[in-house]
Amino acid sequence: MNGRATTGAARPAADATRVLVLNSGSSSVKYQLLDMADESRLASGLVERIGEEGGVADHTAALDRAARELKDRGLGLDSPRLAAIGHRVVHGGTRFTAPTLITDEVVEEIRRLVPLAPLHNPANITGITVARELRPDLPQVAVFDTAFHSTVPEAAARYAIDTETADRYGIRRYGFHGTSHAFVSAATAELLGRAPAEVNVIVLHLGNGASASAVRGGVCVDTSMGLTPLEGLVMGTRSGDVDPGVLLHLEREAGMSTDEVDRLLNKRSGLLGLCGDNDMREIGRRMAEGDAAAQLAFDVYVHRLRRYVGAFTAVLGRVDAVVFTAGVGENSAAVREAALRGLEPLGIEMDSVRNAVRASGPRLVSAPSSRVAVAVVPTDEELAIARDTYALALHPPQEVG
Ligand code: AMP
């Protein structure tokens, strides 16, 4: 069903080159308007605290506000120059493995996946529904956070639990941040001046959420997030990997309910749980003052990262680049340095002077002699979604009929 439209959205006119990207999260709506003629950003905004005090009532109200903000800037959604609307959708299950033109049937499928992403998919569906009501004539495209990981082989995607139970409940590793991993791995190949099909890359997406992926020749072969975005690296407020026995122990011994364990692992763990702060900048400041809890949080975070670098090196066999992206990855020279320190035997040689230079563009931070390039590549999920959306709007797949 990927990319097949059953409604006949017309192809955009020649001067319709704008794409609106909507990211309707669980408690916020982010939007960006891009002109794909030169990939420039015309507007961007954020409506926060949906359903909270001081915020808007619900997602419909948040999208109304976003539409009004654009209108006030002379960039209203009624513009004939708008070619398409792209939506970030968190969970595509095993069904969606590529960007997909949205139809009623596609919305129903996304709805069927709600049990796998109970906080995110409903918000995504509301975004899609409101946008389709506003511009029913426009092609709208769903870009899935899981899609890039759909190529992960069964050996890496399967959990070693009873197969019948796993299959009945859709339990497998789906992975997330896929748009970012795809964009950054491709941009890394470009930075190296090589075709994506020729390079093997370990991508470390370190934001408030964090994930690692192993990309062989442009194809994702392993990733650290799993059934949900809780698995893998230490994150701002999420634990990442824990022994599943910890959950059983907390329920049996501490008498915690499922919701309490959920809140503990998703909201009160990670850097925040270890030291009370989830912002790496604040942790850096505290470490400089000799704060032991902040130092421990940093050390646990970095230790987990090193484990995944080692694991994915073994998965790939040959690694051409390790690349850091997102808030922490792009900005924290200390995390990059500590994560890769002493890995010369793996062919990784950082250049600490280059690494310490603050810059905004894609860049190499390894020594010229390093067998494995180490790079910093800013992620741009909105641009990636806009590109996918525009491509599908210009060249809708043929109807099978
Ligand atoms: P993201 O989710 O990609 O927006 O990343 C947000 C996180 O990036 C914040 O919570 C900080 O921990 C981290 N971050 C942002 N700027 C910096 C910086 N200059 N140095 C270290 N960490 C940073």
Side-chain angles (χ1 to χ4, degrees):
M1 77 161 351
N2 288 328
R4 198 182 308 149
T6 49
T7 51
R11 209 168 288 206
D15 69 341
T17 52
R18 293 177 184 168
V19 170
L20 176 71
V21 175
L22 280 180
N23 181 353
S24 308
S26 51
S27 67
S28 69
V29 170
K30 279 189 239 168
Y31 64 90
Q32 273 193 20
L33 184 67
L34 293 100
D35 191 336
M36 299 314 286
D38 57 0
E39 296 193 335
S40 61
R41 221 156 298 243
L42 302 174
S44 64
L46 169 67
V47 184
E48 283 182 292
R49 296 201 303 278
I50 297 174
E52 292 171 25
E53 220 178 294
V56 295
D58 55 23
H59 281 83
T60 309
L63 288 153
D64 279 349
R65 169 156 327 164
R68 214 166 345 107
E69 285 175 8
L70 284 166
K71 181 124 202 130
D72 290 346
R73 303 179 61 174
L75 297 165
L77 296 188
D78 52 355
S79 166
R81 300 200 55 190
L82 192 59
I85 302 178
H87 299 267
R88 175 183 185 221
V89 178
V90 166
H91 218 305
T94 49
R95 203 55 201 273
F96 296 106
T97 58
T100 303
L101 270 178
I102 294 171
T103 62
D104 293 343
E105 187 201 353
V106 167
V107 175
E108 269 324 296
E109 281 297 323
I110 297 171
R111 204 183 304 282
R112 241 167 262 154
L113 295 166
V114 164
L116 290 173
L119 288 181
H120 292 98
N121 274 28
N124 301 154
I125 292 166
T126 308
I128 290 169
T129 306
V130 172
R132 289 179 89 203
E133 277 164 10
L134 284 171
R135 287 300 300 268
D137 57 315
L138 282 189
Q140 307 216 9
V141 174
V143 179
F144 297 91
D145 231 28
T146 46
F148 184 61
H149 306 300
S150 64
T151 50
V152 169
E154 286 294 285
R158 281 272 174 188
Y159 293 110
I161 64 172
D162 168 64
T163 305
E164 201 186 304
T165 307
D167 288 348
R168 179 168 330 140
Y169 295 101
I171 296 172
R172 58 186 285 112
R173 184 174 288 113
Y174 294 96
F176 299 88
H177 291 148
T179 306
S180 177
H181 286 282
F183 179 88
V184 168
S185 55
T188 303
E190 200 180 314
L191 179 69
L192 299 178
R194 297 170 68 183
E198 285 174 10
V199 293
N200 295 349
V201 186
I202 296 174
V203 181
L204 303 171
H205 176 111
L206 312 177
N208 201 23
S211 61
S213 68
V215 183
R216 175 181 287 133
V219 176
C220 187
V221 295
D222 206 349
T223 194
S224 63
M225 282 179 169
L227 173 74
T228 74
L230 189 51
E231 192 178 353
L233 300 175
V234 176
M235 316 186 202
T237 66
R238 290 181 218 141
S239 61
D241 296 334
V242 291
D243 175 354
V246 169
L247 282 71
L248 307 178
H249 188 79
L250 287 170
E251 290 182 4
R252 291 201 185 107
E253 297 300 315
M256 288 173 81
S257 68
T258 305
D259 282 348
E260 283 168 335
V261 174
D262 185 333
R263 225 172 309 124
L264 174 77
L265 297 177
N266 276 296
K267 304 261 196 245
R268 294 171 45 219
S269 294
L271 295 170
L272 181 76
L274 286 163
C275 77
D277 271 307
N278 64 340
D279 191 313
M280 197 53 88
R281 283 163 290 198
E282 189 55 29
I283 290 169
R285 272 192 285 274
R286 286 173 55 188
M287 281 163 60
E289 292 164 1
D291 185 313
Q295 184 67 54
L296 177 65
F298 182 89
D299 292 347
V300 173
Y301 184 96
V302 164
H303 179 77
R304 187 79 52 83
L305 256 181
R306 294 169 67 84
R307 263 190 166 179
Y308 272 91
V309 170
F312 286 177
T313 297
V315 167
L316 289 171
R318 188 200 83 226
V319 180
D320 298 296
V322 176
V323 54
F324 290 87
T325 194
V328 176
E330 291 167 30
N331 294 296
S332 176
V335 165
R336 295 193 299 260
E337 178 90 37
L340 302 182
R341 186 177 299 141
L343 298 188
E344 291 79 11
L346 297 182
I348 300 173
E349 286 174 62
M350 286 283 268
D351 180 322
S352 36
V353 176
R354 278 170 147 184
N355 184 45
V357 173
R358 293 196 60 86
S360 56
R363 58 200 184 272
L364 288 174
V365 295
S366 44
S369 56
S370 186
R371 185 156 52 75
V372 178
V374 181
V376 178
V377 173
T379 191
D380 194 339
E381 288 167 281
E382 284 76 15
L383 175 59
I385 292 170
R387 283 179 182 165
D388 285 344
T389 299
Y390 194 55
L392 263 189
L394 284 186
H395 304 289
Q398 295 300 309
E399 291 257 349
V400 179

